Amino acid sequence: MNHEAAKDTKEERKKIGKIQGWIPNNSLFNHSRFKLAITYAGVMGSTLLLCGCIAHSVMVQAFTRTVDRELEVFGKVFEDKLKAELKIPGKLSIPTQKSLPGLCFKQQSCLPIKSELDLLNLLAEGYYLRFLTVSGEAIAAIGNNPDEFPANIHLNHSYDIKNRHGELYHLHLMPLKINNNQLWGYLQVGRTVQRLNDYMNSLHWLLGLGIPSSMIIIGGAGWWLAGLAMQPIEKSYQQLQQFTADAAHELRTPITSLQTIIETNSINPETQKALKRQIKRLVTLTQDLLLLSRLESGLQEAKLQQICLNDLVADVEEELMPMAMNAQVLLSSHIPDQSDFYIHGNESQIYRMLLNLVGNAIKYTPESGEVKISLMTNDHQGVITIKDTGVGIPNSDLPHIFERFYRVNADRSRNTGGSGLGLAITLAIVQTHKGKLEVQSHVNKGSTFTVILPLVSKVNK
């Protein structure tokens, strides 16, 4: 017997050793590593986006101020030239019209520009001048139609607007006064900013495509850096896992020896009974530690197969019915008859998970209480619910119930034979099968554990 235990220990160590140091198979560290990489990429992407928005705003404001200054200087030249010629508000006299080359009135041909080369150059660069009445009605323009822009209802000092051809202009408004300081009207000076608009659109495309691409690159770099940073942590964790597995294996031999000694030697019946009870607890603890070590290491005890949840729930109910009857607890189930639900996984592990949850519900439900198992489907997922009317779990303990060796009530757990590993094993089994485990509980009202597992289509063999 000792030889077989030692041989088994050697084989188990060999299996556990194969997965030691294998980072991709450890879902716990992969999940943490992924979260770090995503967080790093998100922070860097947000920083780049913020910098891009700030740069965009600064560029627009700087260009707008520059254009306003240019238009103000350009308009000042005409204002000084016209100040002595303007007599009647809203009216351009004949001498004034002749002094303005290229003047255009509504529904009239434009006056010739003659040899005003500077004005020609300015118009070629996209400048625009327009005369407005006090109410904002267009009178005439230089080098273009006075109705090139929509009518102004509100007279703003500076704003952007599109002309009838869809080209964007920045317009600057300057008041024109006659000799007695009376307001004649307004001189509206403008310049096309379509080139800037096209440039800013290109910048938007660059930000829209560059930032996601940068986030992907940063995410990859973050994944690599997170892997480097987590190597010492994972190594320590794997050493702890290895220690747990080794300790559990090493306990097998002395426990087996103790069992043999008790069975072959004359010991007081009461003492023998107590020793057997404690050895049984050690055996259970050792088996649970081994199972938990395998689950967390990603080591499967058997090949995965297709499992019918309907049959499994019915078997668990049948096995635990005597326990429920002894505890005077009503155990029932609701299993759909019209269809079967299948998952892909390890049948013994799923069975153990259900035994743990239903067994706990029976243990902690007082006499005349009820434990109900329900099976249903929701969006290609199998949902198993174990609901009891037991003592419940305090809110302060709920976040810790899946931790190793955690007991809500140590005395109660010891009286029921619990080691504090049952729910930790249950959670590890559910996560191994890519499922979720949820719990809701109210003190003295009961608890509800919900297991959600991905379903698969039945394959006929």
Side-chain angles (χ1 to χ4, degrees), residues 23-35 230 233-234 237-238 241 295-297 431:
I23 296 176
N25 197 38
N26 197 317
S27 59
L28 173 65
F29 283 92
N30 273 345
H31 180 67
S32 300
R33 186 179 180 184
F34 179 75
K35 287 179 65 177
M230 295 181 68
I233 303 174
E234 183 169 10
Y237 179 78
Q238 288 168 349
Q241 277 189 322
L295 290 171
E296 291 182 345
S297 301
Q431 290 177 339

Side-chain angles (χ1 to χ4, degrees), residues 107-122:
Q107 299 177 350
Q108 294 182 15
S109 58
C110 299
L111 298 177
I113 295 180
K114 298 180 180 179
S115 61
E116 299 285 342
L117 295 178
D118 292 337
L119 181 61
L120 281 172
N121 292 333
L122 289 171

Side-chain angles (χ1 to χ4, degrees), residues 196-215:
L196 173 68
N197 191 51
D198 293 341
Y199 175 75
M200 298 311 295
N201 287 336
S202 301
L203 179 61
H204 296 160
W205 275 103
L206 179 62
L207 292 175
L209 297 177
I211 290 179
S213 302
S214 300
M215 288 181 66

Side-chain angles (χ1 to χ4, degrees), residues 130-187:
R130 185 166 63 164
F131 295 92
L132 306 176
T133 64
V134 176
S135 61
E137 181 183 356
I139 301 173
I142 294 179
N144 214 325
N145 194 318
D147 295 328
E148 183 71 14
F149 297 97
N152 286 324
I153 299 176
H154 301 289
L155 294 172
N156 298 321
H157 173 70
S158 180
Y159 61 97
D160 292 339
I161 190 171
K162 288 185 178 181
N163 64 8
R164 298 185 184 279
H165 304 291
E167 191 175 6
L168 188 66
Y169 273 75
H170 182 74
L171 299 182
H172 186 83
L173 196 68
M174 300 179 64
L176 292 176
K177 296 182 179 180
I178 53 182
N179 291 333
N180 56 3
N181 208 29
Q182 182 182 1
L183 183 64
W184 177 91
Y186 297 96
L187 175 64

Side-chain angles (χ1 to χ4, degrees), residues 96 116 119 132 173 186 199 201 224 240 243-244 252 290 293 314 343 354 413 416 422 444:
T96 303
E116 299 285 342
L119 181 61
L132 306 176
L173 196 68
Y186 297 96
Y199 175 75
N201 287 336
W224 178 69
L240 180 61
F243 170 77
T244 302
R252 279 186 168 188
L290 281 172
S293 179
I343 66 169
L354 292 175
S413 293
T416 54
N444 298 324

Side-chain angles (χ1 to χ4, degrees), residues 67-79 122 126-132 149 156-159 169-176 186-192:
V67 172
D68 276 334
R69 285 196 295 268
E70 289 180 0
L71 294 179
E72 191 171 353
V73 172
F74 183 49
K76 194 69 177 176
V77 174
F78 281 85
E79 183 184 7
L122 289 171
Y127 283 88
Y128 177 82
L129 291 93
R130 185 166 63 164
F131 295 92
L132 306 176
F149 297 97
N156 298 321
H157 173 70
S158 180
Y159 61 97
Y169 273 75
H170 182 74
L171 299 182
H172 186 83
L173 196 68
M174 300 179 64
L176 292 176
Y186 297 96
L187 175 64
Q188 193 175 57
V189 188
R191 179 185 174 184
T192 178

